[in-house]
Structure formats: C-alpha cells, structure tokens
Amino acid sequence: YQRRVHGKQWYQRRVHGKQWYQRRVHGKQWYQRRVHGKQWYQRRVHGKQWYQRRVMSKTFKAEGMQGLYRGFVISCVGIVIYRGFYFGLYDTIMPYLPEDVSFAARFGVGYAVTVSAGLMSYPIDTIRRRMMMTSGEGVKYNGSMDCASQILKAEGFMSFMKGAGANVLRGMAGAGVLAGFDVMKASYIAYAYPESIEK
C-alpha cells in the first residue's frame, strides 16, 4: 500500500513537473515571439525611414530643393479653396435653419458641404498630385498651369475628377467634425454660461 501511495505521489510530481516545464517553455516561446515581433516592427520602421531618406536624397540630387517642394504652391491654393467652401458654405446655410435643429440635420448639411468643397477643389488636387509624382524624374511640367493644360489636352477634363468617388465617401468624417463641433459648443456654453441660456 505504501509503495502504491508513493508511486502515486511520484506520478503526481512527474505530472506537475511536466506541466511546470510546459508553462516555462510556452512562456519562453511567447517571449521569443514578442521579441521577434518587436524586431520585425523595428526593421519595418527602419526600412520605411530608409526608403523615405533615399527618395528625398534622390529627388534632391536630381532637382535640388525645388524638387522637394514641387506642387507646393498649387497645394496652398487648393487648401484655400477647400477650406473656404468647407467653412463658408456651412456658416452660410446654418443661420437659415432653426437653432434647435437636430444633429442629423446638421450632419446632412455638413456632409453636403464637405462633398461640395471636395469636388470644387478636386481638380487642383489632381494637378498637385501630378506635379508631385514628377519629382526626381526630370521636369515634365513648367508649372501648375502647364500641368493643367497638358492634362486637359491629353486626357480631357474628366481626368481631373478621377478618384472623386472615394473622396465623396471620405466626406463623412468632415461632416461629423462640423456637426459635432456645433453640438459640443452648445453643450459647453450651456454648462459654462447658464445665465446666457436663461436670458
């Protein structure tokens, strides 16, 4: 009987020892996978940074500082047009609606305004992308006007609007910003200045 009990205890110790060993091995494997994953991520980040530095150095050697800023002026023009329509149309339309209009109505107006602003400025965005893509490959366009004329002659006007459909779907984020800002502003005013609401 004692041998049987000792044998059972010995078996239990062996099983527990095996389980402890498995947990130790699994823990080591998990640690190795985590370390390898971190190293893979670092290699990917360093590879991306190396590629960016290579592209910048290649562009700088080919065209100088001008090549790094190709399309910058037309990009500024596009931002002015987009933001002008984005905020201007929204601030023009909203005063015609009641003050207690719902969030859905604000979101709808914001979405229509965002899509309109995106479509208005999209041809300029196309010119900007074309000019940026020519950096480091030799000068193909003498300026934004030359780029626009070449695209219009070679591909037609609708080539300026390629990819505008995806831009329409992206407009939901801009609509959320406009509508959400109005709601948060009204909530903050009601919280910080309750006397203005009572009046």
Side-chain angles (χ1 to χ4, degrees):
Y1 174 75
Q2 290 178 348
R3 284 197 301 270
R4 186 176 181 183
V5 171
H6 291 321
K8 188 176 181 180
Q9 292 175 349
W10 172 83
Y11 177 75
Q12 289 175 347
R13 285 196 299 270
R14 185 176 181 185
V15 171
H16 292 165
K18 187 176 181 181
Q19 293 175 349
W20 173 83
Y21 176 75
Q22 289 176 345
R23 285 196 298 270
R24 185 176 181 183
V25 170
H26 291 165
K28 187 177 181 180
Q29 290 175 349
W30 172 84
Y31 176 75
Q32 289 175 345
R33 285 195 298 268
R34 187 173 182 183
V35 171
H36 292 165
K38 188 176 181 180
Q39 291 175 348
W40 171 83
Y41 176 76
Q42 290 176 345
R43 286 196 299 270
R44 186 176 182 183
V45 170
H46 292 325
K48 188 176 181 180
Q49 293 174 349
W50 171 82
Y51 179 75
Q52 290 174 347
R53 288 194 297 268
R54 183 181 179 186
V55 171
M56 291 182 64
S57 62
K58 184 179 178 181
T59 303
F60 184 78
K61 289 178 181 178
E63 302 181 30
M65 188 62 69
Q66 182 181 1
L68 297 177
Y69 284 92
R70 185 172 300 280
F72 177 76
V73 176
I74 195 66
S75 179
C76 294
V77 175
I79 290 173
V80 171
I81 294 176
Y82 177 77
R83 293 302 174 184
F85 280 107
Y86 182 71
F87 293 110
L89 288 177
Y90 187 79
D91 292 338
T92 303
I93 295 173
M94 289 309 297
Y96 292 97
L97 300 178
E99 293 184 0
D100 57 345
V101 67
S102 63
F103 177 80
R106 293 179 184 274
F107 184 84
V109 173
Y111 184 70
V113 165
T114 304
V115 171
S116 300
L119 293 178
M120 291 290 185
S121 61
Y122 201 81
I124 294 179
D125 198 45
T126 300
I127 297 172
R128 176 187 63 83
R129 289 194 303 271
R130 292 290 184 93
M131 293 186 68
M132 289 173 62
M133 293 301 294
T134 60
S135 296
E137 299 180 0
V139 179
K140 294 183 180 180
Y141 304 117
N142 295 325
S144 57
M145 297 300 295
D146 180 58
C147 177
S149 62
Q150 288 193 34
I151 295 174
L152 186 63
K153 290 178 183 178
E155 306 176 33
F157 175 77
M158 291 308 297
S159 62
F160 288 105
M161 306 301 294
K162 289 181 179 179
N167 207 39
V168 170
L169 297 177
R170 195 177 61 180
M172 291 189 177
V177 170
L178 290 174
F181 175 76
D182 281 351
V183 173
M184 292 181 64
K185 182 179 71 173
S187 300
Y188 175 75
I189 292 175
Y191 173 77
Y193 307 100
E195 64 277 2
S196 63
I197 303 299
E198 294 175 358
K199 292 179 181 180

